[in-house]
């Protein structure tokens, strides 16, 4: 440590740890601790130097309001406790609020359909990521759910569209299909099929009838072309 470091620590101790005779009868520390640090201790003990709330407009407002004083909508204030204590209290309340909806929603969810998208060898140490860009869209007019996604490796130039009816008892035609971009942007039929092959970088629904995709050239060269395309679902 340099002399500057030692001086800094000494000044800190001198400023924040002065003797406090009024605290001698209390269990624990006999000195005034640094006022910010006491709020960050993960303890249930009362603060050594609690804040002075006298003149606080919010507390005065609550004190004068008979309706808000006992309102269950207001989170209780613990002026003698640290932030860790308050955080645990708030987490307990939030968990209690979310438990009932989680139980109700969980029991109402069931599997509507199961589709096998790909298979991997069980001997592989790690399963490769083949599923990418899942984007959800709900067409409220037609009561249809859509999922856009791409499959890596063997179908890099395709985007898959899964369509399901919101009423799980009903089915829709062409529940899942793939759109292959390939070389559809070639300027002429004379261009080779491999010269302008495109793959999908991203895809989102623009509205109920249109899908927006970002495409890139698949060739390994500098300055790959990027294309923003609007594709009608029809």
């Amino acid at each position: 440590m340099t002399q500057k470091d030692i001086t800094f620590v000494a000044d800190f101790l001198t400023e924040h740890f002065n003797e406090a005779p009024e605290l001698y009868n209390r269990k624990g520390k006999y000195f005034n601790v640094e006022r910010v640090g006491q709020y960050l201790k993960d303890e249930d003990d009362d603060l050594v130097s609690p804040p002075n709330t006298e003149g606080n407009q919010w507390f005065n407002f609550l004190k004068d309001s008979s309706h808000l004083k006992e309102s269950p909508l207001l989170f209780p204030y613990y002026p003698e406790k640290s932030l860790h204590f308050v955080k645990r209290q708030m987490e307990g309340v939030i968990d209690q609020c979310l438990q009932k909806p989680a139980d109700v929603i969980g029991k109402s969810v069931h599997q509507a359909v199961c589709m096998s998208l790909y298979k991997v060898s069980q001997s592989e140490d790690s399963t490769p990521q083949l599923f990418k860009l899942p984007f959800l869209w709900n067409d409220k007019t037609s009561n249809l759910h859509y999922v856009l996604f791409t499959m890596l490796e063997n179908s890099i130039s395709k985007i898959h569209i899964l369509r399901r009816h919101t009423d799980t008892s009903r089915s829709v035609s062409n529940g899942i299909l793939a759109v292959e971009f390939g070389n559809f942007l070639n300027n002429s039929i004379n261009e080779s099929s491999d010269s302008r092959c495109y793959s999908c970088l991203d895809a989102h629904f623009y509205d109920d009838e249109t899908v927006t995709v970002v495409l890139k050239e698949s060739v390994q060269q500098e300055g790959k072309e990027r294309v923003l395309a609007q594709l009608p679902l029809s």
Side-chain angles (χ1 to χ4, degrees):
M1 295 179 66
T2 65
Q3 184 62 40
K4 184 177 180 181
D5 296 329
I6 297 174
T7 304
F8 177 79
V9 174
D11 291 342
F12 179 85
L13 295 175
T14 302
E15 180 181 354
H16 295 290
F17 289 84
N18 297 322
E19 292 190 22
E22 68 276 9
L23 300 178
Y24 284 173
N25 294 327
R26 293 190 55 173
K27 180 182 178 182
K29 309 231 184 294
Y30 300 144
F31 303 93
N32 283 325
V33 298
E34 195 264 323
R35 290 181 177 273
V36 175
Q38 64 176 345
Y39 289 100
L40 305 179
K41 291 184 177 180
D42 193 4
E43 300 174 352
D44 290 338
D45 296 338
D46 292 348
L47 298 176
V48 177
S49 300
N52 181 13
T53 59
E54 185 178 353
N56 185 292
Q57 294 180 349
W58 173 248
F59 293 125
N60 292 339
F61 172 69
L62 292 182
K63 190 188 303 180
D64 297 336
S65 173
S66 58
H67 297 288
L68 290 177
K69 190 184 303 182
E70 305 297 333
S71 173
L73 300 178
L74 292 179
F75 195 80
Y77 177 59
Y78 304 95
E80 304 287 335
K81 299 296 184 180
S82 71
L83 292 177
H84 278 282
F85 176 86
V86 176
K87 175 176 175 286
R88 283 197 298 271
Q89 295 290 318
M90 181 174 289
E91 286 175 341
V93 173
I94 293 175
D95 289 342
Q96 186 178 3
C97 292
L98 296 179
Q99 187 58 47
K100 186 66 175 178
D103 292 341
V104 174
I105 295 174
K107 292 175 181 177
S108 67
V109 174
H110 63 277
Q111 178 178 300
V113 65
C114 179
M115 294 183 180
S116 178
L117 297 178
Y118 59 87
K119 293 182 179 180
V120 295
S121 173
Q122 295 182 355
S123 62
E124 296 182 12
D125 295 334
S126 59
T127 302
Q129 180 191 3
L130 299 178
F131 191 72
K132 190 181 178 187
L133 298 178
F135 178 76
L136 309 180
W137 180 265
N138 179 233
D139 183 352
K140 295 182 176 61
T141 304
S142 303
N143 296 323
L144 294 174
H145 280 311
Y146 288 93
V147 183
L148 295 179
F149 61 93
T150 57
M151 304 287 290
L152 302 183
E153 296 187 354
N154 60 350
S155 57
I156 191 70
S157 63
K158 295 179 183 178
I159 180 174
H160 296 75
I161 304 176
L162 171 64
R163 181 173 64 176
R164 295 289 301 173
H165 203 283
T166 53
D167 182 356
T168 56
S169 63
R170 301 178 58 184
S171 61
V172 292
S173 59
N174 297 327
I176 184 170
L177 56 85
V179 179
E180 183 168 11
F181 301 104
N183 59 348
F184 78 109
L185 291 177
N186 287 355
N187 293 327
S188 70
I189 59 176
N190 296 325
E191 292 188 41
S192 67
S193 59
D194 297 330
S195 62
R196 298 284 292 276
C197 189
Y198 290 86
S199 60
C200 182
L201 280 178
D202 201 358
H204 281 217
F205 266 82
Y206 181 77
D207 54 29
D208 288 341
E209 286 130 16
T210 311
V211 177
T212 301
V213 293
V214 180
L215 306 173
K216 73 168 182 177
E217 279 189 282
S218 300
V219 293
Q220 298 294 329
Q221 65 182 30
E222 291 295 327
K224 293 181 182 179
E225 184 178 9
R226 300 292 192 273
V227 178
L228 181 69
Q230 297 271 72
L231 303 179
L233 277 180
S234 58

